[in-house]
Amino acid sequence: MPDLKVLLSRETIAKRVAEMGKEIARDFDGQSIILVGVLKGAAIFLSDLARHIPLDATFDFIGVSSYGNRPTVKEDPAGHAAWDSLGEVRLTKDMDSSMADRNVILVEDILDTGLTLNYISKLVRAHQPKSLRIAALLDKPSRRKQPIEAQYIGFTIPDAYVVGYGLDYAERYRNLPDICVLENPPENPVGA
Ligand code: 5GP
């Protein structure tokens, strides 16, 4: 049986997400913003974050995948589940609207190697936005392969595989209200 241990409780997450919303509202006071969520993991974070930003705001979503080079979960020597991102990012859903001359905030669940956000940032920059910032709920800096700067970070966490609050393992656990460390994941999960 997979073993779930709470790393960040729903109360802790809610408090920090509210603070992040306030920081964004303060930085863009009097301006319009567009929140661009990275599917599917950031959907829950974006919906909570947006309700703490009392500005003129619109939403868009972008989809990316590491298909063909699918990341796997493997055990590290300490027996913990570790994310093994193999590094090829592919666009599965483009943004619906133009980002030209807009204040874009990319909303991501977790910043790990940095490959995904580097790839998406390049796509958005090609639209020539007025500004581009990144809001990531979680950051695992020890895993970084490509440098990337996120202006709004919820929590810095150790190198563990986490699920819940939008984050999945083989599409499961996204609906958990807390963020949990997944230990002993099933080897052949249905839907993986
Ligand atoms: P990066 O491109 O920065 O390596 O990875 C970002 C993506 O990897 C995230 O959007 C997420 O889909 C996935 N990811 C990285 N670490 C974890 C983790 O601990 N748990 C889950 N569920 N996904 C992760």
Side-chain angles (χ1 to χ4, degrees):
M1 263 301 276
D3 194 2
L4 295 167
K5 290 208 178 79
V6 175
L7 178 69
L8 299 165
S9 70
R10 61 201 80 179
E11 294 82 10
T12 305
I13 298 167
K15 190 164 168 273
R16 184 69 191 121
V17 171
E19 287 169 4
M20 293 174 84
K22 278 205 191 97
E23 287 169 35
I24 293 170
R26 185 198 57 212
D27 292 352
F28 289 93
D29 188 25
Q31 302 182 64
S32 301
I33 59 164
I34 179 161
L35 298 170
V36 180
V38 183
L39 294 171
K40 305 171 192 168
I44 292 179
F45 173 42
L46 185 145
S47 69
D48 281 348
L49 181 68
R51 284 176 282 179
H52 290 285
I53 308 177
L55 297 178
D56 176 38
T58 53
F59 295 176
D60 206 332
F61 291 93
I62 188 167
V64 288
S65 150
S66 306
Y67 263 156
N69 221 352
R70 195 183 169 84
T72 55
V73 173
K74 63 172 186 187
E75 295 239 323
D76 69 15
H80 298 113
W83 182 247
D84 185 18
S85 181
L86 296 174
E88 207 176 86
V89 185
R90 170 172 90 86
L91 188 68
T92 56
K93 187 213 163 287
D94 203 353
M95 295 159 287
D96 294 328
S97 35
S98 169
M99 300 292 131
D101 209 27
R102 324 251 327 243
N103 292 312
V104 180
I105 300 178
L106 282 175
V107 181
E108 174 65 307
D109 50 6
I110 185 163
L111 185 48
D112 188 32
T113 62
L115 297 172
T116 305
L117 278 174
N118 262 306
Y119 175 86
I120 296 173
S121 298
K122 271 189 205 128
L123 286 182
V124 173
R125 277 206 194 89
H127 288 231
Q128 299 190 308
K130 184 174 174 194
S131 66
L132 174 60
R133 293 195 172 194
I134 292 172
L137 180 64
L138 305 175
D139 185 17
K140 287 199 269 192
S142 61
R143 299 255 314 145
R144 204 74 88 249
K145 285 183 185 160
Q146 283 183 1
I148 182 119
E149 201 190 323
Q151 289 73 25
Y152 309 102
I153 288 178
F155 304 92
T156 299
I157 63 166
D159 179 13
Y161 193 82
V162 290
V163 295
Y165 196 74
L167 288 145
D168 76 314
Y169 173 66
E171 294 300 329
R172 296 241 159 71
Y173 308 116
R174 293 192 195 276
N175 55 329
L176 294 178
D178 306 308
I179 292 175
C180 303
V181 174
L182 178 67
E183 289 176 349
N184 309 316
E187 269 183 27
N188 294 306
V190 179

